[in-house]
Amino acid sequence: MEKPTGPAPEVTDSPVVATDVPINASGHRQELDRNFNLLSICGLAITSGNTWIALGGSVTVAIYNGGSPGVIYEFIAASVFYWFIAASIAELASAMPSSGGVYHWASITAGRYGRICGWFAGWWNFLAWVLGVAATAQIVSAQTVSMYAIFHPTFETQRWHVFVGYILCTWICCFIVLFGNRALPMLESLGGLLIIAGVLITIIVCAIMPHANGTPYATNAFVWRDWENGTGYTSNGFVFLLGMLNGAFAVGTPDVVSHLAEEIPRPSINIPKAILAQFTTGFFTALFYLIAIFYGIYDLDGVLNSTYLFPLAEIYRQAAGSAGGSLGLLILAFVPTFIACIGCFITASRTFWTLARDNATPFSGFFSRIDPNHKNPFRSIVFCSVVITVLGAIYVGSSTAFSAFVGSFVVLSTLSYLMAILPHLLSKRSNVTPGWFWMRGAIGYAVNAVACLYIMAFIVIFCFPFALPVEAATMNYTCLITGALSMFVAAFWMWREKDYVGPQQVHLEDQLLAKDAI
């Protein structure tokens, strides 16, 4: 651990905390129990990251951006850039282990502009995580409907089928987070185990069963060399860059565990370790998984034209050779995805709660309270569930509109990261007292710079239409959704600016810090 070298900001009194009460690194009194440990927080990171399942679930869309080689190489490229973002996030999480995450960090790194930068970072991050929960709940529902459809060939999926599953998933997860607070660490540990066991079993089945069934494997050229541009764009280079969105959606959650900094002992040390576990496990499991399923495909047209809502159903049917085998592999994806939805629910609710306790939300006094019986932000959890339910209702009316919202997750989340990392870089990394994990010298500048350049470039690229010619049903509405939500955030800022204080930095060696706060 590098000793702090820069000037250490003094503790600033929070409007809700007296300085004679033990506080955490956010400057607020410690209200949540530190139920998680390193194993369970790593489980939550790996499960909520859900990399191989998220990537597999979008493979029929991703494959138009270069075919199988495009999916693999675009995933590798996106992962490399996200390693830079993850390292930057881990550094800030170690220096300021607050449940506010990027919201808190942007408020500090931006110096005198910290209030407005933190405001936008916090709201963009919260909106991204609510959309992330909605996307995960929709995936769980699509998996459920597809598992039924496997054994009922004449079944025609309707949007209301998915909506029913979506609502059940949303509120079951809500009740688990509300009333099972002490069981959550064990549940997330189980999720991490199931993610790893599930991908290993899936890889083995996809590698062995085609040979056992006498069905052909895909050729090496199909997996590694045959570039297929099905987007309508003439530039294969641009198609590659655009295709990196699919990889970004799969790996783009480096801050997920940072929002539990006030629920784990020694977060300055354990949060960076969990981020490392998430990205290491996510990258290698997803890469080997992609290779295995692509070799198991013998009829690509059958996959692309499948009537199953969840594309892996047909891929697994081809690889395993039977509907029963496909069902078994789908269950291996379904259970950890459901647990991932719980983890995303935890993150979204904690993010909204941290905004509320700094008077950055409507009815902040109501939503900022921790329930004394359940030891969690009960009201914030319910609020998130209501918002996610409303998003589900949009799906019933228009799947295109729903996809437009959840498809904005990557842009909104990376915008929130940029608001924390870019000021950190521009201020010469001087506004932050180093934590346990700190990138020294030129390495820190280089990593932060690459992360910022990637975000700024790809925010623009990810707003381009997915394919040409453009139609209303296939248009990329990310820029519209992001712009509209940002206008809401800006309008709310103008209304609440006078009453908003924002997070304050606390010296990591301050005597007021509660036990295990860092």
Side-chain angles (χ1 to χ4, degrees):
M1 174 179 174
E2 182 176 301
K3 296 294 184 183
T5 55
E10 296 181 357
V11 179
T12 304
D13 292 349
S14 166
V16 296
V17 180
T19 55
D20 59 345
V21 177
I23 59 175
N24 52 43
S26 71
H28 293 268
R29 69 178 183 274
Q30 180 64 35
E31 296 183 273
L32 298 173
D33 292 337
R34 296 188 184 271
N35 293 328
F36 286 82
N37 54 32
L38 180 58
L39 178 63
S40 56
I41 206 72
C42 286
L44 186 144
I46 294 169
T47 308
S48 299
N50 208 25
T51 307
W52 64 272
I53 299 173
L55 199 59
S58 64
V59 70
T60 54
V61 176
I63 208 163
Y64 287 101
N65 294 87
S68 301
V71 177
I72 293 174
Y73 299 136
E74 288 156 8
F75 166 70
I76 293 173
S79 296
V80 169
F81 283 109
Y82 262 90
W83 273 95
F84 288 92
I85 297 176
S88 301
I89 292 291
E91 180 180 59
L92 293 172
S94 182
M96 294 173 279
S98 162
S99 290
V102 291
Y103 162 59
H104 188 129
W105 311 330
S107 301
I108 303 304
T109 60
R112 61 176 177 167
Y113 303 105
R115 291 174 68 244
I116 190 167
C117 286
W119 178 279
F120 274 87
W123 271 102
W124 279 334
N125 193 249
F126 164 67
L127 292 169
W129 275 111
V130 166
L131 296 176
V133 178
T136 309
Q138 193 271 343
I139 291 173
V140 170
S141 182
Q143 290 173 335
T144 306
V145 173
S146 297
M147 285 189 281
Y148 177 84
I150 289 174
F151 294 97
H152 301 81
T154 60
F155 177 74
E156 294 184 8
T157 303
Q158 304 293 329
R159 283 200 293 268
W160 71 266
H161 297 149
V162 180
F163 178 69
V164 170
Y166 176 97
I167 293 299
L168 288 173
C169 176
T170 297
W171 285 97
I172 290 173
C173 289
C174 176
F175 285 128
I176 291 173
V177 176
L178 284 174
F179 302 109
N181 194 50
R182 290 194 175 278
L184 292 178
M186 181 181 67
L187 189 62
E188 295 299 334
S189 297
L190 176 63
L193 176 63
L194 291 175
I195 280 281
I196 297 173
V199 74
L200 290 176
I201 295 172
T202 303
I203 290 172
I204 292 171
V205 170
C206 291
I208 294 176
M209 288 307 294
H211 175 74
N213 294 330
T215 54
Y217 289 98
T219 64
N220 289 331
F222 171 80
V223 177
W224 299 105
R225 295 191 300 275
D226 290 346
W227 179 271
E228 295 288 341
N229 179 359
T231 64
Y233 287 101
T234 57
S235 171
N236 286 329
F238 181 76
V239 170
F240 182 91
L241 296 177
L242 190 62
M244 287 172 61
L245 173 62
N246 302 292
F249 187 82
V251 301
T253 58
D255 68 311
V256 59
V257 293
S258 69
H259 298 284
L260 280 88
E262 295 169 31
E263 297 175 65
I264 179 174
R266 305 173 69 198
S268 180
I269 298 174
N270 288 327
I271 295 298
K273 289 180 178 178
I275 294 173
L276 176 63
Q278 174 187 351
F279 273 75
T280 304
T281 305
F283 175 75
F284 286 107
T285 55
L287 178 61
F288 296 144
Y289 171 78
L290 282 178
I291 296 170
I293 64 171
F294 282 143
Y295 271 111
I297 295 174
Y298 62 80
D299 180 10
L300 180 59
D301 289 336
V303 174
L304 297 179
N305 298 322
S306 171
T307 58
Y308 301 130
L309 192 59
F310 194 60
L312 287 179
E314 175 60 22
I315 295 175
Y316 287 165
R317 191 195 64 77
Q318 291 188 19
S322 67
S326 179
L327 175 63
L329 294 180
L330 284 174
I331 292 173
L332 290 176
F334 170 82
V335 177
T337 305
F338 180 79
I339 298 176
C341 194
I342 295 173
C344 293
F345 230 114
I346 297 171
T347 299
S349 64
R350 270 44 172 185
T351 306
F352 185 76
W353 166 66
T354 58
L355 288 169
R357 70 182 180 182
D358 286 327
N359 203 31
T361 69
F363 310 105
S364 55
F366 179 81
F367 288 116
S368 64
R369 296 181 183 177
I370 294 296
D371 187 274
N373 296 321
H374 301 99
K375 299 294 184 180
N376 60 26
F378 197 95
R379 297 169 180 176
S380 293
I381 296 168
V382 174
F383 172 78
C384 289
S385 193
V386 171
V387 173
I388 295 161
T389 300
V390 172
L391 288 170
I394 294 174
Y395 180 85
V396 177
S398 171
S399 59
T400 300
F402 179 83
S403 298
F405 275 97
V406 300
S408 303
F409 167 81
V410 171
V411 170
L412 285 168
S413 61
T414 49
L415 275 173
S416 72
Y417 304 155
L418 184 67
M419 293 298 281
I421 301 171
L422 183 60
H424 185 42
L425 179 65
L426 296 178
S427 64
K428 300 181 180 180
R429 298 162 52 85
S430 62
N431 290 339
V432 177
T433 303
W436 176 81
F437 173 71
W438 185 259
M439 295 177 288
R440 307 184 185 191
I443 294 177
Y445 285 96
V447 170
N448 293 160
V450 171
C452 291
L453 290 173
Y454 166 80
I455 292 173
M456 289 187 288
F458 277 83
I459 281 175
V460 177
I461 292 172
F462 290 163
C463 289
F464 274 76
F466 303 121
L468 298 177
V470 179
E471 298 177 358
T474 58
M475 176 61 183
N476 185 351
Y477 294 97
T478 295
C479 57
L480 176 63
I481 298 298
T482 303
L485 292 175
S486 298
M487 289 175 63
F488 159 76
V489 174
F492 191 45
W493 161 260
M494 290 186 287
W495 177 40
R496 189 56 69 88
E497 177 188 3
K498 293 181 180 180
D499 300 323
Y500 172 70
V501 176
Q504 309 296 323
Q505 187 173 25
V506 178
H507 197 304
L508 292 184
E509 295 180 355
D510 195 276
Q511 297 299 315
L512 292 174
L513 284 170
K515 181 181 179 182
D516 289 332
I518 60 170

